[in-house]
Amino acid sequence: MKKRITPLLFVIMLCGKVNAQQPGAKDIDDKKQKMEWFANAKLGIFIHWGIYSVNGISESWSFFNNYINHDNYMKQLDGFTAANYRPEEWVKLIKESGAKYTVITTKHHDGVSLWNTKAIDATTTLKQSAAKKDVITPFIKAVKKSGLKTGIYFSLPDWSHPDYDGFTRDRKRYKLSEEPKRWNKFQKYLHTQMNELSVNFKPDLLWFDGDWEHSAEEWQAGKISADLKKYNPNIIINSRLNHHGDYETPEQGIPVLRPNSEYWELCYTMNDSWGYQPYDFKYKSPNMIVRTLVDCISMGGNLLLDIGPKADGTIATEQGNILKGLGRWTKKHAEAIYGTHAGLPAGHFNGKTALSADKKTLYLYADWVPDNGGLLLSGIRSAVRSAKIVGSDLKATFVTNGENISIKIPTSAADQDVTVIALKFDNPVEVNDQSLISLSFNDLTNKRADYKTQINNIASSLHNGVNPFKDTDLPTDGLDFEAGKKGLNPELYKWVTKNAESLYKTGKGLPEGHYQGASALSADKQTVYLFVEGKPTGPIALKGIKNKVSRIRIVGEGTMIEPEIYNKLYWSSVPGIVYIPLPKDRLDKDLTVVAVLLDGPIDLYREKVGAIESNL
């Protein structure tokens, strides 16, 4: 027999259920207060250091995956000297980068502990390595003296410990169900180490890894969390403790969409390796790293950028140069980094944006040198009070036309990586997503209008799904475009006919997150047209494209471009980033169009990312 539920009773039951599941106001306030420094920090430096740097091979995974056997892997202890290890110099370089916190590996999955742990059957750099040192203690001491926040990486699995069940991909030591006492011995080992880290180093943040190998109950995740909070009630824990953490940790792939969590951090390598690998030359440029940081800032997240020191304790020149290049930009633009919040929805500006805490300052990040058409902002309801170039004494000017704003800066004020403009408002910024640009052909026939603005408006209109040339006689090759000859400004006509391919029957562009500027799609959805403003400071980037790229060329003049793919990991479904370098001598003086031909109709990756699950 079914019970009848009245509407009032249903509402009462629903509210009760929601209240039971939702944290209380005090819990929310406490977490917000605890997470404040992390949310404001924006940049941290990750350090993967261990015996794997001796041979320059993958940390732990190289023996787990049987690329090298465990005995030979562990022989690297004999080459781990730390002979030139200067922790104060590391900290100085980290500070110079602009980072506000750092996270160092105290033990990876290989089970080699880098501090003087007293846990039974532990392998340590103090007792078993050539260094004969606890290398963590002096580093943490230098970190705390510097004012940086202290983060500790700790692997839950320990593939070398005799009482851990896992060993390699093909071998397990035992089944938990058959030898529970052995698992309990490992738990004692694990909790001993966790307590040592808490007592000895008093971390602000605990960065767990490897939780996929067991359930929360098997790890005793609740106990680990509770024990950590006994020593530090405000400790921050990442998401890799089986849902007992405070923030999400997407790995390697810059998110296309903002992650679900209010707090998140992208952990990211400079090349393709976490630890030092001498033959991994695929380093990203400082320009790429700066722009990755901006990408994270614009979505309200942090960047945790990794370095992998050598076995002797020195840091590779390439890595040091990237940190210094990053530091040049962060020092100059500090006000537009720390303490900012996620920016405007897509469509208002062809770059990244962020907002100040009070939402009264809007930061525009331009990774291109604007031409004399300036920077365009659309759909802004609020009145701008002032504009300035962050980190420069040169002046920015702006003109408001309804809800659209044009900003101009001296070319000499453009930053070599990302220029930042700060727009100040009297009240929190309000936007109008309904007023985004859409044009008809008649809107373009005012020959007195600024043709550069018209060109940019065409790109925006196409991106928004309104093609002003839909019902005209514009052919795909641009020849004999009679309506254009009669109605358009000669300079506008010249640009339209040169780039007609990208205007002929093209439709709505890429959704938010895949490309920062305006774009359009061919009728068969197999070619993406990217509209590129000004002179890019580095290669333009495409994210979240599942297709293979068949060909890239500059529209209207035919130059072929060879892209570079970064961060395409064989174990991950997240597509790599397609970086497209554009020769400066081939850029259009008004607006460059790049055609990206794919191997089929476009297929987009738009999952909201959280913590990585495994990288077997």
Side-chain angles (χ1 to χ4, degrees), residues 157-217:
D158 188 324
W159 292 331
S160 294
H161 195 276
D163 290 317
Y164 186 66
D165 63 327
F167 183 39
T168 69
R169 178 187 288 274
D170 300 317
R171 293 174 181 252
K172 283 183 75 73
R173 292 186 177 91
Y174 62 93
K175 292 181 180 180
L176 266 64
S177 60
E178 296 175 357
E179 300 188 58
K181 289 183 178 179
R182 199 170 175 185
W183 180 249
N184 288 338
K185 283 179 67 179
F186 176 75
Q187 283 289 340
K188 184 176 180 180
Y189 164 84
L190 185 151
H191 288 283
T192 297
Q193 290 204 319
M194 290 305 312
N195 290 334
E196 286 177 349
L197 294 173
S198 294
V199 171
N200 296 340
F201 305 128
K202 300 175 176 59
D204 301 293
L205 183 150
L206 215 303
W207 214 101
F208 285 107
D209 201 6
D211 65 347
W212 63 81
E213 289 215 327
H214 290 286
S215 68
E217 292 73 22

Side-chain angles (χ1 to χ4, degrees), residues 250 373 474 553:
L474 176 69
R553 58 190 166 74

Side-chain angles (χ1 to χ4, degrees), residues 256-551:
V256 173
L257 299 172
R258 180 178 177 174
N260 291 311
S261 176
E262 181 179 358
Y263 306 103
W264 65 273
E265 163 199 81
L266 169 67
C267 55
Y268 202 63
T269 55
M270 293 180 170
N271 50 7
D272 284 340
S273 307
W274 294 105
Y276 175 68
Q277 294 195 25
Y279 302 110
D280 181 355
F281 302 115
K282 202 167 186 180
Y283 281 100
K284 304 167 188 76
S285 66
N287 175 274
M288 291 177 182
I289 298 296
V290 167
R291 288 160 57 202
T292 299
L293 172 60
V294 167
D295 215 343
C296 293
I297 289 170
S298 72
M299 291 187 280
N302 292 6
L303 172 64
L304 184 63
L305 181 66
D306 181 70
I307 58 174
K310 299 179 182 180
D312 68 352
T314 57
I315 294 172
T317 301
E318 297 93 335
Q319 298 181 25
N321 288 342
I322 288 172
L323 291 181
K324 290 175 181 178
L326 181 57
R328 180 207 69 80
W329 189 84
T330 56
K331 182 178 180 181
K332 179 180 177 182
H333 300 97
E335 77 161 84
I337 303 170
Y338 312 110
T340 57
H341 291 227
L344 303 180
H348 297 280
F349 178 64
N350 284 341
K352 307 299 180 183
T353 66
L355 289 162
S356 59
D358 64 4
K359 307 294 191 292
K360 294 181 182 180
T361 302
L362 173 64
Y363 296 103
L364 310 177
Y365 305 89
D367 55 9
W368 68 92
V369 179
D371 59 24
N372 58 17
L375 303 171
L376 300 176
L377 192 60
S378 62
I380 307 299
R381 287 176 172 170
S382 309
V384 180
R385 188 179 69 196
S386 65
K388 74 170 184 176
I389 307 164
V390 177
S392 174
D393 293 329
L394 298 176
K395 302 296 182 184
T397 60
F398 65 92
V399 175
T400 299
N401 180 14
E403 295 185 347
N404 300 322
I405 303 164
S406 174
I407 305 131
K408 292 192 177 182
I409 65 169
T411 302
S412 58
D415 185 80
Q416 68 188 54
D417 294 314
V418 178
T419 306
V420 186
I421 308 298
L423 299 180
K424 291 193 177 294
F425 299 81
D426 288 324
N427 298 299
V429 180
E430 293 185 11
V431 298
N432 182 2
D433 288 334
Q434 303 305 313
S435 71
L436 299 182
I437 294 170
S438 60
L439 301 175
S440 68
F441 182 73
N442 285 337
D443 294 324
L444 301 172
T445 56
N446 179 3
K447 294 186 178 182
R448 295 183 179 180
D450 176 64
Y451 82 92
K452 283 181 175 282
T453 300
Q454 289 179 312
I455 289 171
N456 280 292
N457 286 344
I458 288 170
S460 296
S461 186
L462 284 169
H463 181 80
N464 295 329
V466 180
N467 189 331
F469 301 97
K470 180 180 178 182
D471 297 318
T472 69
D473 61 347
L474 176 69
T476 188
D477 61 7
L479 297 176
D480 304 318
F481 180 31
E482 294 302 324
K485 280 184 183 179
K486 296 175 182 176
L488 303 181
N489 174 298
E491 289 292 331
L492 177 59
Y493 173 78
K494 183 178 178 182
W495 183 88
V496 166
T497 52
K498 174 186 174 183
N499 296 285
E501 173 199 342
S502 65
L503 312 176
Y504 177 76
K505 294 185 178 179
T506 50
K508 188 176 177 65
L510 297 171
E512 176 182 2
H514 297 281
Y515 174 64
Q516 69 174 24
S519 62
L521 285 172
S522 60
D524 64 3
K525 303 292 191 294
Q526 195 167 337
T527 301
V528 185
Y529 295 100
L530 308 176
F531 298 96
V532 183
E533 290 190 47
K535 296 179 181 177
T537 61
I540 61 174
L542 265 178
K543 292 190 297 183
I545 307 297
K546 292 182 180 180
N547 309 73
K548 290 183 179 179
V549 174
S550 299
R551 180 178 292 173

